[in-house]
Amino acid sequence: MTLPSTLKAWSVTELGEPASVLELRDIDVPTPGVGQVAVRVLASAANFPDVLMCRGIYQVKPDLPFTPGREVCAEVVATGPEVTRAAVGDRVLGLTTLPYGGFAQYALMDQSKVHQAPASLDNAQASCLFIGYQTGWFALHRLARIAAGETLLVHAAAGGVGSAAIQLGKAAGATVIGVVGGQAKAEYARKLGADLVIDRRSEDFVQAVKDATDGRGADVIYDPVGGDTYQRSTKCIAFEGRIIVVGFAGGEIQSAKLNHALVKNYSIMGIHWGLYNDRKPELVDQCHAELTKLADAGLISPFVSERFTLDGVPDALQRLADGQTVGRVVMESV
């Protein structure tokens, strides 16, 4: 395949809100280095870290200018030296290598972050199978050791991370309770398979969880929100339960009252999935194999609520930043 010399990409040239700082530019098509592949982007899923990088407040702070869009499904179009995990023509998914992110026509990937895309998923769905589902699988299975018959409480259940946790919890045989904000998001969480959905705007999730579990509480709580949501979750965690701290989308980083953890013998676990890519990449490979099996069996299926073209990236990222989206919103190539 003959590659063009330039590509169109959304570049962050200054830090701020996505709608204000993204600029559509023509840039050179990247040449893959040692252990890298160049890919034609088929689909790129929007993630909240993309928003945080635009704002300059994410733990990864690429030099300006850069193109966001870490999670893609793509076709390999060129390989650098020492590449063994992919070949030209392969349909793959995984993480892009900044500054050449996925909100562009072409991107760059390190082969260690490249995985074969399941044939059972279309391009947009496959682009969503990496960050959210890998995070959920590691959190629920490797850390929390969730078991069939347990109760899983998922906060922000209509978001990208929460929606993956719902499906993974159901696939593990758990009873899943989802907490959302608003009736539209509640309906979405029900479609994903949540056994009980609580609208935090009109219900007290602490009491609702106690009522649903005969006062015992949830065995596992999956919390991407933090702040007061975490503090209140400690009031409905079961004896020997596990609270998984996924993030702080609510904007407040909470402090844990460890004396309270002693009272109910519960564990507080943090999940930074990105570390596994560097420290135990073989586990990421194993997880991808498990996720592929679940996808092929129809037990998980990323729900893409919106599909848009390259032109729609700034608006979609801004709506994600403003909490106006449900599920996954994905850029698809035309």
Side-chain angles (χ1 to χ4, degrees):
M1 179 179 181
T2 303
L3 297 180
S5 59
T6 62
L7 61 91
K8 290 191 178 297
W10 285 103
S11 293
V12 177
T13 56
E14 59 180 327
L15 299 177
E17 291 301 301
S20 300
V21 301
L22 283 167
E23 177 185 344
L24 189 61
R25 304 171 68 201
D26 290 315
I27 64 174
D28 292 339
V29 172
T31 299
V34 175
Q36 293 183 326
V37 298
V39 297
R40 180 173 68 89
V41 177
L42 303 174
S44 183
N47 287 281
F48 203 70
D50 294 319
V51 173
L52 299 180
M53 280 191 287
C54 288
R55 294 171 175 169
I57 57 176
Y58 192 54
Q59 55 258 44
V60 177
K61 295 179 171 61
D63 294 334
L64 300 177
F66 70 91
T67 297
R70 295 303 315 277
E71 193 173 26
V72 297
C73 174
E75 177 191 1
V76 177
V77 294
T79 60
E82 301 180 19
V83 170
T84 59
R85 290 170 60 97
V88 171
D90 283 358
R91 178 173 170 264
V92 300
L93 61 83
L95 293 183
T96 59
T97 300
L98 299 181
Y100 298 103
F103 294 130
Q105 294 171 312
Y106 294 85
L108 202 62
M109 303 174 74
D110 291 337
Q111 71 163 338
S112 61
K113 311 297 194 302
V114 171
H115 303 265
Q116 298 297 314
S120 56
L121 301 179
D122 68 24
N123 294 335
Q125 291 173 316
S127 73
C128 303
L129 192 66
F130 203 50
I131 297 175
Y133 280 89
Q134 285 257 349
T135 299
W137 193 93
F138 271 89
L140 296 178
H141 288 282
R142 183 169 178 83
L143 298 184
R145 308 290 183 182
I146 195 167
E150 290 192 311
T151 296
L152 167 66
L153 173 64
V154 179
H155 288 294
V161 173
S163 61
I166 288 177
Q167 291 189 340
L168 290 168
K170 292 299 296 180
T175 297
V176 179
I177 302 173
V179 179
V180 299
Q183 284 303 308
K185 293 184 177 182
E187 183 58 31
Y188 170 74
R190 292 188 188 97
K191 289 181 180 178
L192 286 168
D195 299 283
L196 173 66
V197 179
I198 302 167
D199 183 354
R200 58 177 172 78
R201 294 179 180 176
S202 58
E203 301 175 78
D204 175 7
F205 78 80
V206 173
Q207 189 58 50
V209 169
K210 289 181 178 179
D211 291 344
T213 59
D214 296 324
R216 190 173 58 84
D219 299 290
V220 179
I221 297 180
Y222 194 78
D223 179 19
V225 180
D228 184 62
T229 295
Y230 167 85
Q231 301 296 352
R232 297 181 64 220
S233 293
T234 64
K235 300 180 184 301
C236 59
I237 185 70
F239 172 74
E240 292 191 332
R242 291 85 79 201
I243 300 177
I244 307 170
V245 178
V246 187
F248 314 100
E252 177 188 350
I253 299 177
Q254 69 275 5
S255 297
K257 297 179 180 179
L258 298 184
N259 61 319
H260 190 264
L262 295 179
V263 172
K264 298 172 75 173
N265 283 21
Y266 64 84
S267 301
I268 305 162
M269 303 174 169
I271 175 68
H272 179 187
W273 166 75
L275 292 177
Y276 288 102
N277 285 280
D278 298 322
R279 300 191 180 186
K280 289 187 177 292
E282 70 280 4
L283 296 182
V284 177
D285 290 345
Q286 293 173 16
C287 177
H288 180 69
E290 291 299 320
L291 293 175
T292 297
K293 290 178 183 177
L294 291 173
D296 290 345
L299 294 175
I300 59 173
S301 179
F303 185 85
V304 180
S305 60
E306 299 179 46
R307 300 168 187 245
F308 50 91
T309 60
L310 186 65
D311 291 343
V313 168
D315 178 65
L317 266 187
Q318 191 60 54
R319 287 186 292 106
L320 175 63
D322 296 338
Q324 297 175 358
T325 62
V326 296
R328 302 307 304 270
V329 293
V330 179
M331 183 203 84
E332 289 185 299
S333 63
V334 293

